[in-house]
């Protein structure tokens, strides 16, 4: 199984990079895990609606360029479906059983994801209504993917 996280922008903080690397190392026994960073669009603070849309479109195009046709895509979105860790693990397991072994998770930039990216997604997933820094969300997502594999394999980590 191949698991990929596509995120907008670079992670600058060492502790976030270290946490993602740790989960990547743990995941290596279950899947090929990769994090792909696409450049964020540099923009001033006070953007007009049109400028915000333009930034989102450019970031969305960069995201879509990193997704292959065969990949099953989860878009992280506040309005997405919330799940328990057990439900998430069951979904990942079911996807593998049905031959969907290339799973991609997409985390947008500070303005979110364009309709084109949301349309390409097979599902939208939410980790709640909190707003989290995108760098931290990559850590949280990496941990939940690892947790899913421990649940699937009946390991005690989840308890």
């Amino acid at each position: 199984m191949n698991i990929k996280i596509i995120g907008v922008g670079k992670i600058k903080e060492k502790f976030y990079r270290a946490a993602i690397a740790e989960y990547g190392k743990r995941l290596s026994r279950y899947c090929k895990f990769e994090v792909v960073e696409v450049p964020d669009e540099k923009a001033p603070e006070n953007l007009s609606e049109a400028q915000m849309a333009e930034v989102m479109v450019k970031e969305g195009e960069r995201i879509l360029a990193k997704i292959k046709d065969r990949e099953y895509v989860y878009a992280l979105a506040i309005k997405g479906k919330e799940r328990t860790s057990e439900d998430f693990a069951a979904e990942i397991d079911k996807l593998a059983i049905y031959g969907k072994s290339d799973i991609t998770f997409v985390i947008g930039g500070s303005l979110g994801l364009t309709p084109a990216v949301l349309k390409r997604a097979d599902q939208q997933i939410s980790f709640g209504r909190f707003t989290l820094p995108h760098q931290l969300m990559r850590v949280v997502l990496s941990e939940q993917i690892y947790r899913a594999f421990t649940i699937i394999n009946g390991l005690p980590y989840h308890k």
Side-chain angles (χ1 to χ4, degrees):
M1 178 168 274
N2 298 306
I3 304 284
K4 176 169 58 177
I5 297 174
I6 299 173
V8 174
K10 287 201 175 299
I11 294 185
K12 297 168 186 75
E13 295 84 356
K14 279 185 184 176
F15 54 91
Y16 287 143
R17 286 197 313 265
I20 294 166
E22 176 62 28
Y23 287 115
K25 187 172 83 177
R26 293 180 187 190
L27 279 163
S28 67
R29 49 194 299 207
Y30 306 111
C31 65
K32 179 179 178 248
F33 178 73
E34 124 183 73
V35 176
V36 175
E37 294 178 336
V38 297
D40 55 344
E41 190 63 23
K42 303 296 179 230
E45 282 297 312
N46 299 317
L47 296 175
S48 69
E49 290 289 323
Q51 290 170 316
M52 283 194 278
E54 187 178 325
V55 166
M56 289 174 62
V57 166
K58 286 179 181 176
E59 290 176 350
E61 288 169 351
R62 292 175 190 144
I63 290 168
L64 291 170
K66 301 292 182 182
I67 300 173
K68 296 179 179 70
D69 288 344
R70 71 176 182 278
E71 294 173 4
Y72 190 90
V73 178
Y74 282 95
L76 275 69
I78 288 175
K79 293 182 180 178
K81 181 182 172 196
E82 291 184 37
R83 301 149 167 79
T84 64
S85 294
E86 295 85 356
D87 291 342
F88 182 56
E91 275 184 36
I92 298 293
D93 197 32
K94 191 186 242 182
L95 287 171
I97 290 168
Y98 290 108
K100 302 280 186 188
S101 61
D102 294 306
I103 302 172
T104 297
F105 295 87
V106 177
I107 302 172
S110 60
L111 299 175
L113 294 168
T114 61
V117 173
L118 294 173
K119 185 177 180 203
R120 170 58 183 91
D122 295 284
Q123 288 196 54
Q124 291 182 33
I125 188 171
S126 174
F127 284 78
R129 298 178 57 111
F130 287 110
T131 300
L132 297 173
H134 298 282
Q135 299 89 338
L136 179 58
M137 194 62 235
R138 289 186 215 175
V139 175
V140 171
L141 177 57
S142 299
E143 190 280 336
Q144 283 298 302
I145 294 167
Y146 174 69
R147 182 177 297 273
F149 278 101
T150 63
I151 292 169
I152 291 164
N153 289 283
L155 298 173
Y157 173 82
H158 176 60
K159 301 293 178 215

